[in-house]
Amino acid sequence: MKIGLIFGTRPEAIKVAPVYHELKNNGINVKAVVTGQHKEMLYQVLNLFGITPDYDLQIMKQGQGLSELTGRLIIKLDEIVKKEKFDYILVQGDTTSVLAGALVGFYNQIPVGHIEAGLRTGNIYSPFPEEANRKLVGNITSIHFAPTDVNVENLLKENYPKDKILKVGNTVIDALYWVKRNKSEDIEAIKRKYGVENKKYILITMHRRENWGKPMEETLKAVRDYLEKHDDLYLVFPMHLNPLVREVAHKVLDTFERKILIEPLEYLEFIAIMDGAHYIMTDSGGVQEEAPSLGKPTLVLRDTTERPEAIEAGTAKLVGTKYEDVIKYMELLEGELYEKMSKANNPYGDGKTSERIRKYLLEKNKC
């Protein structure tokens, strides 16, 4: 059996790394096809997990829109798929690389496995274009590897056959557990490197397209004003490389003293900074999944989330980006809510997701 694993962003690389090694370590011929939709951040993760791509498309170029990116990906991936003649193609998540990879698999009549299937917000423009990508990929997927019961229900409501849906958990938990097992000394060294080992701090990440501009500015102003009244707290903000994110961050935070503005972190570094945080504020989907494994309450800086399990389990609160709402929820975390959220159960998995995916593929190959 030959499997093509198509991915191209840092979050995808983190979540497919355990699958790649699980397949490879069990004698399955797996080819890592990297689109390069992220550049530096992607290769940091590949190095951490010891993955050497079999193909690297390095697809990104300056000023490239979604239509051009999708078209170029389809052409390049089609050449690889025709050459390799994969028995299965695996994609993960909701990016343009996922959409293009699934489409090429469909065009070549190769079954597609969608890792992290069934996430939905119900608003096709939020997040954009990820929500549409999820729904489009779902229609051409042969097996939906759904992380949670909520994801399974979403797929059933959309009338996908029950026998094509498999609840497996989320591979991000596999990756996180691997890091905690194998890199504990590095984690403590990283905290010292960034000067946070003895500080009580809030970690914030913001990068999503829908939060560019005013939403990010309102959020950061709320955080700054709250911290001005709480001199025991610091702010740690790894700033996305996007100039629109950095411009707002500097505009709002440059005059605030108790901040640590840092460059985008490698995955291992980010786990270390998460591990030391008092709590986390984020618009990232992956962070909502990782934080419960570290016992970190999370305020979600979005109006919708395709990960309602964290909200229902009590590990996260959906806050939005309005000034008054951000302040309100930060104040709520001063009391009993903090303890309740930090001790809530992780709804996203047990670290054995990759094993379940591998077993399914082997069973399918016997049929």
Side-chain angles (χ1 to χ4, degrees):
M1 179 167 53
K2 185 191 288 188
I3 293 177
L5 191 55
I6 299 174
F7 61 100
T9 68
R10 183 175 86 155
E12 287 170 359
I14 292 165
K15 292 182 177 184
V16 303
V19 178
Y20 175 85
H21 285 300
E22 179 69 22
L23 298 177
K24 203 171 187 67
N25 292 341
N26 285 277
I28 296 174
N29 185 358
V30 56
K31 300 287 186 182
V33 182
V34 173
T35 67
Q37 194 178 331
H38 284 173
K39 292 184 179 179
E40 295 85 358
M41 294 188 292
L42 167 67
Y43 301 116
Q44 291 166 0
V45 173
L46 295 178
N47 290 334
L48 172 64
F49 286 101
I51 297 175
T52 302
D54 296 280
Y55 295 92
D56 187 352
L57 303 185
Q58 299 187 23
I59 199 71
M60 294 306 290
K61 65 178 184 179
Q62 192 169 3
Q64 183 172 231
L66 287 173
S67 298
E68 182 182 359
L69 172 61
T70 306
R72 292 178 65 222
L73 275 171
I74 288 173
I75 291 169
K76 289 179 176 290
L77 289 171
D78 191 65
E79 293 173 358
I80 295 168
V81 168
K82 280 182 165 59
K83 173 187 173 183
E84 291 287 350
K85 296 180 172 56
F86 296 120
D87 297 299
Y88 243 94
I89 285 175
L90 298 181
V91 294
Q92 189 283 324
D94 53 23
T95 67
T96 304
S97 293
V98 174
L99 176 61
L103 273 172
V104 169
F106 172 72
Y107 290 157
N108 286 274
Q109 298 186 36
I110 299 170
V112 174
H114 186 195
I115 301 169
E116 200 178 61
L119 279 68
R120 299 289 187 271
T121 64
N123 180 349
I124 202 168
Y125 290 105
S126 177
F128 177 85
E130 290 86 355
E131 177 76 358
N133 289 345
R134 294 178 192 124
K135 293 176 74 67
L136 291 166
V137 169
N139 285 295
I140 50 178
T141 290
S142 301
I143 178 65
H144 305 265
F145 294 117
T148 70
D149 289 328
V150 170
N151 306 142
V152 171
E153 287 302 314
N154 287 340
L155 293 165
L156 291 173
K157 287 176 185 175
E158 294 175 6
N159 296 317
Y160 291 110
K162 191 173 183 179
D163 63 349
K164 300 295 184 183
I165 304 168
L166 185 65
K167 178 187 169 185
V168 294
N170 197 306
T171 57
V172 75
I173 308 303
D174 300 31
L176 179 60
Y177 285 176
W178 183 90
V179 168
K180 289 283 284 182
R181 282 195 309 269
N182 294 283
K183 302 290 180 178
S184 58
E185 292 183 7
D186 300 86
I187 286 172
E188 296 308 312
I190 289 164
K191 292 176 186 176
R192 292 192 294 272
K193 171 185 174 182
Y194 287 102
V196 300
E197 73 274 24
N198 294 316
K199 289 184 173 66
K200 183 180 180 181
Y201 62 89
I202 296 168
L203 170 63
I204 186 168
T205 75
M206 293 191 79
H207 72 281
R208 285 195 178 270
R209 190 184 301 259
E210 62 264 31
N211 279 342
W212 293 352
K214 185 179 178 181
M216 186 173 296
E217 186 169 347
E218 279 206 41
T219 299
L220 293 181
K221 282 181 178 177
V223 173
R224 179 198 64 196
D225 292 351
Y226 176 86
L227 293 181
E228 289 284 11
K229 300 175 182 177
H230 296 79
D231 56 12
D232 63 326
L233 278 171
Y234 284 74
L235 175 67
V236 176
F237 187 6
M239 294 185 297
H240 198 274
L241 292 172
N242 190 305
L244 295 173
V245 173
R246 291 174 168 242
E247 180 183 348
V248 172
H250 285 298
K251 175 183 175 182
V252 176
L253 298 174
D254 272 356
T255 59
F256 177 66
E257 292 186 2
R258 280 177 286 108
K259 66 177 184 298
I260 302 175
L261 301 181
I262 53 183
E263 293 300 305
L265 296 169
E266 297 180 14
Y267 176 63
L268 177 58
E269 291 185 316
F270 188 68
I271 294 298
I273 298 300
M274 275 207 302
D275 188 58
H278 181 48
Y279 63 85
I280 297 168
M281 304 176 71
T282 187
D283 62 5
S284 164
V287 174
Q288 295 174 55
E289 298 159 350
E290 293 162 335
S293 294
L294 299 171
K296 304 299 174 181
T298 304
L299 301 183
V300 182
L301 303 171
R302 292 167 60 181
D303 296 320
T304 60
T305 181
E306 63 280 23
R307 293 167 172 87
E309 301 89 346
I311 309 298
E312 293 168 7
T315 66
K317 295 290 181 185
L318 194 63
V319 173
T321 56
K322 292 180 181 177
Y323 180 93
E324 296 82 2
D325 292 336
V326 174
I327 290 280
K328 179 181 76 173
Y329 278 97
M330 293 181 79
E331 289 174 345
L332 285 173
L333 277 183
E334 293 175 26
E336 293 180 2
L337 181 60
Y338 179 87
E339 288 297 319
K340 185 177 179 181
M341 291 180 70
S342 64
K343 293 177 180 177
N345 291 327
N346 182 1
Y348 291 111
D350 57 4
K352 296 181 180 180
T353 297
S354 302
E355 180 182 336
R356 295 185 184 101
I357 292 172
R358 186 254 305 168
K359 287 180 177 178
Y360 172 86
L361 293 171
L362 286 176
E363 285 297 319
K364 194 68 177 176
N365 193 51
K366 292 177 183 177
C367 297

